[in-house]
Structure formats: structure tokens, C-alpha cells
Amino acid sequence: MAPPPASPDSANAAVGQRLRHLRERRGLSLSALARAAGIGKATLSGLENGTRNPTLETLYAIATQLDVPLAEVLTDPAGRSAPAVVPGAAVRGTLLEVFHDPGVTSELYRLEVHPGRTQTSPAHPRGVTEHITVYSGTLRTGPADDPQVLRAGEHFSWTSDVPHVYAAVGDEIVQASLLIRYPRPVP
């Protein structure tokens, strides 16, 4: 039987501990990481202490500066994800699985993109690609300077080392899957 899901407070605390560990492993001060990620020092401190709710935008900005995939922030060393759902301005993302293959780490997410807002994600490290499949609704996504419109059943891939967007077109919540592939050195 699977363990019960973590409470939001314990999930936030776990994410905060991983953020602190990753920051310290890189030898960065709280101020230096906050400045590099474009967030307030108080925000980063609150995240590390588990007293602030993480958003996709904030976690991506931090993970990018730490040069790690987002899953490294969301999963414990045993590979369990926490929190299960991370909200953003327009997107609610659920980490489903992390795959480690020679030369690449892949993260699989279930996405809900809510109408009325656009979520802009910061550039990922060089060579990172995103692969999205829309199951319902209509989605505008891809590089911020050249997004594509996808309908149910359509797929799109792009190199996401540039700012990129997600927005529902119309009034329907978009259901989609997103695979993010991070190249990594082969030992």
C-alpha cells in the first residue's frame, strides 16, 4: 500500500530542505541565488524554511540557476515527488515520472493550463527540449517569440533554452502532457 500523500506543509518543508541543500552544494549564498534567479531574498528564505508555497515560475527560476532539472527540487533521494501538484500563473503541473537514461534526464508532467492567463517560463539551460501533447482544449505554447497553437491530439517540440509560454486559447482548461529532456554528461 502506498504511503498517504504528504501534507502541503510537510511537502513545502521537504522542497525547502532540497533547495537549501542544492544551494549550499553549489556554494551560493541566499542573496546570490535570489539575485541570480530574479526573486526576493525573503521569498527564497521562506521557500527554504518551508513557510512559502512554491510556484512553478519560482522553482524553475531557482532550478535553472542551480543548473538542475526541476525534478531534483521536487523529488526526494528515493525518487518520490513532493509536492504532487505545483501551481503556476496559468499552469498546474504534476510530476509523474523521472527517467534517467545515458546522456539525458527526462521529466514527465501532467499539465492543466487554465484560461485567462499566460505563463511565461524562463529559459532552461542550453540543449533542454520540451515535448508537449494536448489531450483537450487549445493551447498556445512554445518559444515566447514564436508560440504555436495546438489543438487536442496535436504535439509540438522545441528547444526550451529561451523564454517560453503556455496559455489556454478560449474558455476550456487545457489537459496536456509535457516531457522535458535535460542533456547531461555521460560518466
Side-chain angles (χ1 to χ4, degrees):
M1 182 183 315
S7 71
D9 290 342
S10 67
N12 289 349
V15 167
Q17 289 172 353
R18 286 190 288 283
L19 284 173
R20 179 176 288 118
H21 170 77
L22 291 166
R23 176 180 60 78
E24 290 173 349
R25 185 175 77 187
R26 292 282 311 247
L28 294 170
S29 69
L30 197 68
S31 296
L33 179 56
R35 189 172 36 259
I39 63 172
K41 182 178 173 182
T43 297
L44 181 55
S45 177
L47 289 171
E48 285 191 359
N49 291 318
T51 59
R52 296 205 56 151
N53 292 323
T55 65
L56 280 173
E57 294 90 346
T58 301
L59 291 178
Y60 268 126
I62 295 167
T64 297
Q65 294 308 311
L66 293 170
D67 197 27
V68 297
L70 181 60
E72 196 162 333
V73 173
L74 296 177
T75 56
D76 64 20
R80 294 182 298 264
S81 66
V85 177
V86 182
V91 174
R92 290 177 56 88
T94 303
L95 177 63
L96 300 175
E97 187 74 46
V98 178
F99 307 94
H100 301 284
D101 296 309
V104 68
T105 294
S106 300
E107 302 171 346
L108 179 62
Y109 293 89
R110 178 177 55 235
L111 298 184
E112 288 182 359
V113 184
H114 294 261
R117 294 188 172 148
T118 297
Q119 181 159 325
T120 301
S121 292
H124 294 296
R126 186 172 181 203
V128 173
T129 58
E130 295 196 16
H131 311 264
I132 195 159
T133 302
V134 175
Y135 295 108
S136 66
T138 303
L139 178 67
R140 184 173 53 85
T141 192
D145 64 354
D146 188 25
Q148 304 296 304
V149 174
L150 306 174
R151 289 166 184 74
E154 295 182 331
H155 172 84
F156 179 59
S157 299
W158 70 94
T159 301
S160 54
D161 53 7
V162 296
H164 44 288
V165 297
Y166 305 88
V169 176
D171 296 331
E172 184 180 352
I173 294 174
V174 173
Q175 301 288 333
S177 66
L178 174 66
L179 182 71
I180 304 176
R181 295 176 49 87
Y182 296 85
R184 59 185 169 82
V186 178

